[in-house]
Amino acid sequence: MKKIAVCGNIASGKSTVEKMIENRGFKVLDTDEVAHNLLTIKNKSLYDGFKDYDVFENGEFSREKIGKLIFYDNSLKNKLESILHPQIRREIQNFFEKNDSEALIFVAIPLLFEAKMQDLFDKIIFVHADDTVRFERLIKRNGYSQEYAKTRIDSQMPQEDKVNLSDYVLYNNGSIPQLEKSVDAILNNL
């Protein structure tokens, strides 16, 4: 089994690439979804770590409130990651074990390098879109202010650093058909 990470900075098109891979019959674990599922008050270590902060809505964690809190406070971001990243790592390993008969298996993991989880994978695909394209997507898609969109983009490791650490780079500044052609080329290579 070849284990492939699909990563990309915010608004690069990683989710679109993930769907294209799934549509071609491959199994993909979405770690954004895993993290979302871990954001529950039943997650004792997470609840204990954040019970004194305004991060709850209707008795559950609010992703929006947590997002705003950690993007302006690095110590709280580190605290959240120290709780969630080991739990996400375990979920990835469980996914690999459950699907060990697959020839190729994919994990969509936006913060692969920040979480230092490269050791789990045989190959890394990085989805790259120009910063101006990503900035425009965040404002249009998420309704972010220009300031908040810039803060979100700047909070991640620079794309150029990730390009140098990746086995494959998908440039996503063009059309969907162009992206599909690039995805197919990488899948054929793998």
Side-chain angles (χ1 to χ4, degrees):
M1 170 178 37
K2 218 182 247 188
K3 302 166 188 166
I4 318 298
V6 178
C7 60
N9 283 13
I10 192 166
S12 64
K14 176 193 55 59
S15 297
T16 302
V17 169
E18 175 187 343
K19 295 294 176 238
M20 289 176 181
I21 292 169
E22 282 180 332
N23 290 341
R24 283 149 178 82
F26 295 100
K27 293 192 177 179
V28 183
L29 176 68
D30 183 341
T31 59
D32 276 346
E33 195 173 299
V34 170
H36 179 71
N37 291 337
L38 291 170
L39 280 176
T40 170
I41 59 169
K42 294 179 187 116
N43 186 335
K44 183 166 173 30
S45 54
L46 190 62
Y47 177 78
D48 289 346
F50 285 87
K51 66 184 176 193
D52 297 329
Y53 297 93
D54 178 25
V55 294
F56 300 98
E57 201 167 278
N58 301 321
E60 289 292 332
F61 282 101
S62 162
R63 291 179 74 189
E64 186 178 334
K65 286 184 176 185
I66 285 181
K68 287 187 176 168
L69 181 72
I70 66 169
F71 281 110
Y72 293 108
D73 188 328
N74 217 34
S75 66
L76 290 177
K77 180 178 183 239
N78 292 337
K79 181 179 188 171
L80 179 69
E81 290 172 349
S82 73
I83 296 168
L84 283 184
H85 287 175
Q87 295 176 356
I88 291 169
R89 179 180 276 271
R90 275 193 298 280
E91 291 296 322
I92 292 169
Q93 291 167 326
N94 290 341
F95 178 69
F96 290 155
E97 288 170 20
K98 287 179 189 163
N99 296 286
D100 64 355
S101 63
E102 299 291 322
L104 294 175
I105 195 149
F106 296 83
V107 175
I109 179 166
L111 300 178
L112 172 72
F113 299 107
E114 290 88 343
K116 297 180 179 27
M117 290 192 205
Q118 303 95 299
D119 63 298
L120 294 174
F121 301 96
D122 300 310
K123 296 289 179 187
I124 298 168
I125 299 170
F126 182 71
V127 183
H128 182 288
D130 290 344
D131 288 346
T132 53
V133 171
R134 294 170 47 234
F135 183 76
E136 289 170 16
R137 286 178 185 163
L138 277 176
I139 290 171
K140 184 177 179 183
R141 180 187 78 187
N142 296 58
Y144 290 164
S145 68
Q146 289 187 2
E147 180 188 338
Y148 190 60
K150 184 174 178 353
T151 301
R152 292 293 301 253
I153 286 173
D154 291 347
S155 73
Q156 294 181 317
M157 184 176 160
Q159 292 190 102
E160 290 65 35
D161 295 348
K162 294 179 180 183
V163 164
N164 294 328
L165 297 169
S166 300
D167 299 292
Y168 301 95
V169 180
L170 279 169
Y171 291 96
N172 185 23
N173 295 314
S175 67
I176 293 292
Q178 287 172 318
L179 184 61
E180 289 202 8
K181 190 174 178 183
S182 299
V183 167
D184 287 336
I186 289 175
L187 291 175
N188 288 335
N189 190 279
L190 288 167

